[in-house]
Amino acid sequence: MWTHASWQGRLLPHPLPAGERLRAYATWCNAVEGNTTFYATPARSAVESWAGQTDPGFRFVIKLPKTITHERRLTGADEELRAFLDTMEPLGPRTHALWIQLPGSFGPTDLGTLAGFLRGLPRSHRYAVEVRHRAFFDDARSARFLERALAAVDVEWIPFDTTALFQRPPTSDAERDAWTKKPRVPRRSSALTERPIVRYIGRDGTADTVEGWGHWIDTVVEWLREGRSPTVFVHTPDNADAPVLARRFHDEVRERLPEVEPLPEPMPSEPLTLF
């Protein structure tokens, strides 16, 4: 996302060399979703550059390639997994979690496959699973079995909260596109581990997005008081103001818990001048 076109020159300096764009983004937010790794494992040199542009405390939540999760469906992908983990090695402690996003067709009957895959993962990393099959949200028994499989190996369940998006009909092209692509499932907000991860998508209107995240402000404050270390990603259909909204979310949490550390001061999007 640090190369998102609408941010360049408006929120982030432009032009910037490719090897400096993540560094600029990291002055806005202290975590990022590694979504492009779903489509292809990057070159190790690219990952080395990511590490070089961020502090050790910066959080990457990196998605496993679709060859592992969607094409092989967690079966017979040992070689691909080893190659991926080797490529991510330069990130070191920045790898907050490896994100296992499963296809919508991956349902309760596949839980044995998921449990076996999770048991075989190296313990050098933390993992988090995102499911989209409706049964895990509508059927309490299926949800309970999934929670047990994840909790047994200290793996988190990532909620992707789209309730604000689907609360009213779309009013923009980006919202209409999101309506056709995003999962429409009930909100889930139970943490299984000390490091819960939330993916929240609002609307292209700021007021609707802020109104929709009230539940998560309460939940994150509660998690922090419990001693957990949550990571929250804020999206909108067009993502035009996502970094600004993420910082606003963080500020609202700090209003309730002033001891939470502030985010860094954003890098100016335009060069500083004397006059």
Side-chain angles (χ1 to χ4, degrees), residues 19-213:
E20 294 293 326
R21 294 171 187 167
L22 174 56
R23 189 186 310 279
Y25 167 88
T27 67
W28 278 85
C29 300
N30 57 9
V32 73
E33 291 179 346
N35 190 56
T36 58
T37 55
F38 177 73
Y39 301 100
T41 298
R44 187 180 172 97
S45 60
V47 180
E48 291 170 347
S49 174
W50 301 348
Q53 294 179 66
T54 53
D55 293 332
F58 188 85
R59 299 179 179 187
F60 285 86
V61 177
I62 301 288
K63 192 184 291 189
L64 262 62
K66 64 179 180 179
T67 53
I68 298 172
T69 57
H70 286 57
E71 295 173 13
R72 295 186 179 271
R73 296 174 67 87
L74 310 183
T75 302
D78 292 350
E79 183 177 340
E80 291 89 344
L81 179 62
R82 278 194 298 270
F84 180 74
L85 294 179
D86 179 68
T87 300
M88 294 300 124
E89 187 273 335
L91 291 179
R94 299 166 186 81
T95 305
H96 187 71
L98 294 178
W99 168 18
I100 304 166
Q101 185 185 77
L102 297 171
S105 59
F106 199 101
T109 59
D110 298 299
L111 280 178
T113 299
L114 174 61
F117 178 79
L118 296 176
R119 286 194 299 268
L121 291 171
R123 298 291 80 176
S124 54
H125 290 288
R126 288 180 175 269
Y127 304 92
V129 170
E130 180 185 332
V131 293
R132 297 190 169 192
H133 194 288
R134 185 82 190 194
F136 292 123
F137 301 88
D138 292 341
D139 178 44
R141 186 168 179 267
S142 296
R144 188 165 58 249
F145 284 160
L146 174 58
E147 287 186 347
R148 288 176 182 172
L150 298 179
V153 284
D154 197 32
V155 171
E156 190 54 78
W157 178 345
I158 301 179
F160 186 25
D161 182 6
T162 60
T163 53
L165 172 67
F166 290 111
Q167 190 171 23
R168 286 185 291 277
T171 58
S172 69
D173 288 343
E175 288 184 356
R176 280 185 281 273
D177 184 60
W179 264 50
T180 67
K181 296 177 179 177
K182 305 303 181 186
R184 189 185 300 220
V185 294
R187 180 193 293 135
R188 181 195 175 279
S189 53
S190 298
L192 301 179
T193 73
E194 296 305 303
R195 295 187 177 190
I197 299 169
V198 175
R199 305 182 66 226
Y200 167 76
I201 181 167
R203 306 277 299 210
D204 285 337
T206 296
D208 290 335
T209 298
V210 171
E211 179 185 354
W213 74 32

